Amino acid sequence: PPRSTLFPYTTLFRSNKVAILSVDLRGWGDTRPSYDPYEIYGWSAPQRWLAYVSAALDDPILGMRIRDGLTALAYLRSRPEIDPEQIVVGGHGMGGVVALHVAEIDGQVRGVFCNEFLSSFQALAASPSYAWEHDAFFPNVLKYYDVPELAADLRVPLLMVNPLDAMKRPLSAATARQLYSQALARGTVEVHAEAAGPQAGAIQVNWADHLWVPTAVSQRSNCDQSAPDSTPRRWVRTRRVLSLSTATR
């Protein structure tokens, strides 16, 4: 797909024995329902229909996608060529929110990243208008937690790049720092707001580089909008996996 979220990784990973599993969670990518000729977009749009019907059945589509992510993770661990202790999960858009849930429920992944993702369910619920599709709503979730609390509870390294508001506008660095202050206090979380184009991709690749070479990890300031550290680093050539919870969303 255009501007694939895999692009920053493919060239680098091909030479470093890193496998990539990109999964189209149900209703996304190649599994996205197609339109029938008689459908009216305003009511019968596939994502709207999936969101409403799944919520009415008390099994929201977002919950189904989280289970899909966990199933994909279990499959990776079953592969003999994969090191189960070096699996990273991540995603773009709502796929990033799915990745956070997968990492929290599983509790054993090496790390998790999300890019251009919904910053909080509260922002979506409180906004009079929104740009996210209907399947971004997670019924009753705010009775229990929100995305910032989920990030704070994770016990693995976490990278968050360009969190978005209800209108899919990037948060400012100051707003992101305040929203994720509890998570940042852990010391293993990086939040990069307002990172543009190539810079966002470089941040993600550099984070993975540091993550898989523990001796090369440096203490960079969170919410840093400057270019990432460009110091060359040696990759340890063992089998590792980057599992994408979704392609582009």
Side-chain angles (χ1 to χ4, degrees):
R3 298 174 61 84
S4 170
T5 54
L6 294 176
F7 177 75
Y9 303 94
T10 50
T11 301
L12 179 61
F13 285 2
R14 273 201 302 270
S15 63
N16 287 284
K17 297 184 180 180
V18 176
I20 300 176
L21 175 64
S22 179
V23 183
D24 283 340
L25 306 182
R26 68 186 77 188
W28 286 344
D30 288 342
T31 68
R32 186 184 180 97
S34 60
Y35 288 100
D36 287 328
Y38 57 83
E39 287 181 330
I40 302 174
Y41 180 85
W43 172 249
S44 299
Q47 297 303 93
R48 181 173 186 171
W49 187 89
L50 281 173
Y52 284 19
V53 172
S54 64
L57 294 173
D58 200 25
D59 190 10
I61 186 66
L62 185 55
M64 297 182 192
R65 288 165 178 162
I66 292 167
R67 297 199 297 273
D68 289 345
L70 289 165
T71 300
L73 183 57
Y75 167 74
L76 280 177
R77 289 204 175 105
S78 73
R79 301 286 300 183
E81 71 273 25
I82 299 304
D83 183 347
E85 296 183 355
Q86 298 293 342
I87 296 176
V88 171
V89 297
H92 178 86
M94 287 305 297
V97 177
V98 171
L100 287 172
H101 284 82
V102 169
E104 171 70 6
I105 294 169
D106 177 76
Q108 300 179 49
V109 297
R110 182 67 182 88
V112 57
F113 71 90
C114 40
N115 178 44
E116 295 184 359
F117 62 102
L118 176 63
S119 59
S120 73
F121 291 111
Q122 176 63 38
L124 190 60
S127 178
S129 57
Y130 52 89
W132 296 90
E133 294 198 56
H134 295 80
D135 59 356
F137 288 88
F138 203 5
N140 297 318
V141 66
L142 293 175
K143 293 181 179 179
Y144 306 100
Y145 66 91
D146 199 354
V147 174
E149 286 75 33
L150 187 63
D153 195 60
L154 282 168
R155 292 297 176 263
V156 298
L158 167 62
L159 173 69
M160 296 186 285
V161 179
N162 292 337
L164 306 178
D165 66 12
M167 293 302 297
K168 290 191 174 182
R169 296 171 301 207
L171 302 186
S172 68
T175 300
R177 187 182 300 112
Q178 180 178 10
L179 184 62
Y180 300 111
S181 58
Q182 187 178 357
L184 290 170
R186 281 176 37 210
T188 57
V189 175
E190 290 187 34
V191 180
H192 296 265
E194 303 177 288
Q199 183 188 4
I203 288 170
Q204 293 174 72
V205 171
N206 198 53
W207 174 81
D209 191 346
H210 284 74
L211 182 68
W212 281 322
V213 186
T215 57
V217 173
S218 62
Q219 297 297 320
R220 297 194 302 276
S221 60
N222 293 304
C223 292
D224 183 6
Q225 299 179 47
S226 61
D229 182 10
S230 60
T231 304
R233 287 181 167 71
R234 180 178 61 85
W235 280 73
V236 179
R237 292 181 178 270
T238 56
R239 294 186 179 92
R240 295 174 169 86
V241 174
L242 175 68
S243 173
L244 270 289
S245 62
T246 184
T248 54
R249 281 292 301 120

